[in-house]
Amino acid sequence: MKLKKIFALFLLGAIVITAGGSLSGCSFGKSQPDYVVGENVGNTCGNISNLGAVAQVENQIYYQNGDDGLKIYTSSVDGSDPVKLNDVASYFINITKDYIVYANADDDFHIYRMNRDGSENTKLNDAQSYYVCVENDVIYYSNWSDENKIYCMNIDGSENTVISDDQAYYINVDDGKIYYANWSDGARLYSMDLDGQNKLRLTEYSCQYVVADGDWVYYSRWEDPQTSQEDNPEDRYLCRTAKDGSTEEVLRDAASGDINVYKDKVYFTDWTDNVICSINTDGTDFTQLTDEYGTYINLAADKLYYVVFDDNYEPTLKSISVG
């Protein structure tokens, strides 16, 4: 499987998941409060790093409907009573107390906001925006119309401001800090305050699939992604580092990607065997979950959602229970 081709398609903003799967009609379980969003945080860091396809708010799910052009739907956690909320392909879904914030793929990934019932849909910016995160009614994103710099703006679109000139991928906003892969410095992992101050380099290796969770930041450790070889067995280890950069641990010494963290488990794609696996956050209890390769792992309500590509790179959305 040409994994780098799939990765490159996303970085170019060209990947669009078409019909072939849907979150509606699925059976959901009860989720832990730490992974239910909608008050101060718009979605989990792991979901945003994987396109932000699903978010859970109390007993409600908000999701891209793969059977209806990736438009946003909502349903109860048991999949009943689905309701369509908008009419455009939507990524990086964030839910706040009052609003849904998302990137509109039908309008060059500009950021939009609508009420939780789908009314008053409003465009907030004119920039190609990725890794859109919302915390305390402030929107943070990587501005691909301005060299991938980190921007923030208020929930109404006002005070749209550059907070870092770094070329940033995999932006995570967590507990008053921003974590990201800094491609201005070989994709090394960085953190900084929400206003761009106190910038700190956390790793000496390049990092992809960044997910901040608890006291740690999880990632796939690469050599320089612009020069590393796809068949290099010493590359792309599954790692975590303390949020202050003081400690790095290798959780699995095998090529790994599409990382997400949910309820003390790390979920990821094993690029050696091309399957989806899980491991405890301390590196114990490795488990293979699928017999096929899947990408863009999202988690909510004890379900794992992933995309499978056929030989023509046509995608299908699938899900498995992890509760």
Side-chain angles (χ1 to χ4, degrees):
M1 182 172 291
K2 298 179 180 178
L3 303 179
K4 281 200 170 181
K5 181 173 182 180
I6 294 173
F7 181 72
L9 283 172
F10 171 53
L11 292 184
L12 291 171
I15 190 164
V16 177
I17 304 169
T18 56
S22 170
L23 302 189
S24 60
C26 295
S27 176
F28 297 96
K30 185 178 180 181
S31 182
Q32 296 292 331
D34 288 347
Y35 297 91
V36 177
V37 300
E39 190 63 35
N40 298 317
V41 178
N43 204 338
T44 65
C45 293
N47 285 350
I48 292 300
S49 283
N50 286 274
L51 304 185
V54 60
Q56 181 184 359
V57 180
E58 298 178 345
N59 294 317
Q60 202 75 10
I61 296 290
Y62 296 81
Y63 57 90
Q64 296 175 326
N65 190 326
D67 289 331
D68 190 15
L70 297 182
K71 297 161 187 174
I72 298 176
Y73 276 62
T74 186
S75 73
S76 60
V77 292
D78 64 3
S80 61
D81 303 320
V83 177
K84 181 178 177 179
L85 298 179
N86 72 351
D87 289 304
V88 298
S90 306
Y91 288 80
F92 304 111
I93 296 170
N94 284 263
I95 313 299
T96 75
K97 181 178 179 181
D98 300 310
Y99 302 111
I100 301 171
V101 176
Y102 64 96
N104 181 344
D106 292 343
D107 187 21
D108 201 24
F109 284 83
H110 298 160
I111 298 174
Y112 280 67
R113 184 196 76 186
M114 61 184 174
N115 293 333
R116 292 264 292 264
D117 63 1
S119 63
E120 299 185 23
N121 200 28
T122 304
K123 184 175 181 177
L124 299 183
N125 74 350
D126 291 303
Q128 192 176 48
S129 308
Y130 288 82
Y131 307 113
V132 179
C133 310
V134 181
E135 183 173 284
N136 294 321
D137 284 341
V138 178
I139 302 169
Y140 303 85
Y141 64 98
S142 177
N143 186 338
W144 287 28
S145 298
D146 188 17
E147 300 178 332
N148 309 87
K149 297 174 184 177
I150 302 176
Y151 275 62
C152 73
M153 62 183 171
N154 293 328
I155 198 74
D156 61 1
S158 64
E159 299 185 30
N160 193 24
T161 305
V162 180
I163 57 176
S164 174
D165 289 334
D166 290 340
Q167 187 180 15
Y169 291 78
Y170 299 106
I171 292 174
N172 286 204
V173 178
D174 187 62
D175 196 24
K177 289 280 189 177
I178 299 174
Y179 301 88
Y180 60 100
N182 183 357
W183 280 50
S184 300
D185 186 22
R188 291 172 175 85
L189 179 65
Y190 274 67
S191 70
M192 65 181 182
D193 295 341
L194 298 180
D195 61 1
Q197 300 300 307
N198 296 315
K199 187 165 65 173
L200 178 66
R201 186 165 78 177
L202 302 179
T203 67
E204 296 302 319
Y205 292 93
S206 300
C207 300
Q208 307 294 325
Y209 307 105
V210 174
V211 179
D213 188 271
D215 296 327
W216 299 87
V217 185
Y218 300 81
Y219 51 89
S220 179
R221 189 180 80 185
W222 293 45
E223 299 300 329
D224 188 332
Q226 300 176 34
T227 61
S228 62
Q229 299 299 310
E230 186 164 348
D231 59 356
N232 182 359
E234 303 301 321
D235 205 351
R236 292 166 230 131
Y237 289 175
L238 177 61
C239 298
R240 70 176 184 175
T241 189
K243 284 184 171 178
D244 62 1
S246 61
T247 303
E248 183 189 51
E249 298 178 358
V250 177
L251 301 181
R252 182 166 171 77
D253 57 354
S256 307
D258 303 286
I259 295 166
N260 205 330
V261 183
Y262 184 74
K263 295 185 182 180
D264 298 322
K265 290 276 189 182
V266 184
Y267 297 87
F268 61 97
T269 52
D270 184 315
W271 284 3
T272 302
D273 296 325
N274 284 335
V275 293
I276 296 176
C277 303
S278 69
I279 198 169
N280 289 342
T281 52
D282 63 2
T284 60
D285 193 26
F286 170 80
T287 305
Q288 181 177 322
L289 300 176
T290 70
D291 293 321
E292 61 186 349
Y293 175 78
T295 188
Y296 306 124
I297 294 171
N298 278 248
L299 289 129
D302 293 336
K303 283 278 189 175
L304 181 152
Y305 304 93
Y306 62 100
V307 175
V308 174
F309 292 87
D310 64 20
D311 291 339
N312 296 316
Y313 300 105
E314 292 298 322
T316 299
L317 181 66
K318 296 188 177 183
S319 67
I320 58 174
S321 175
V322 295

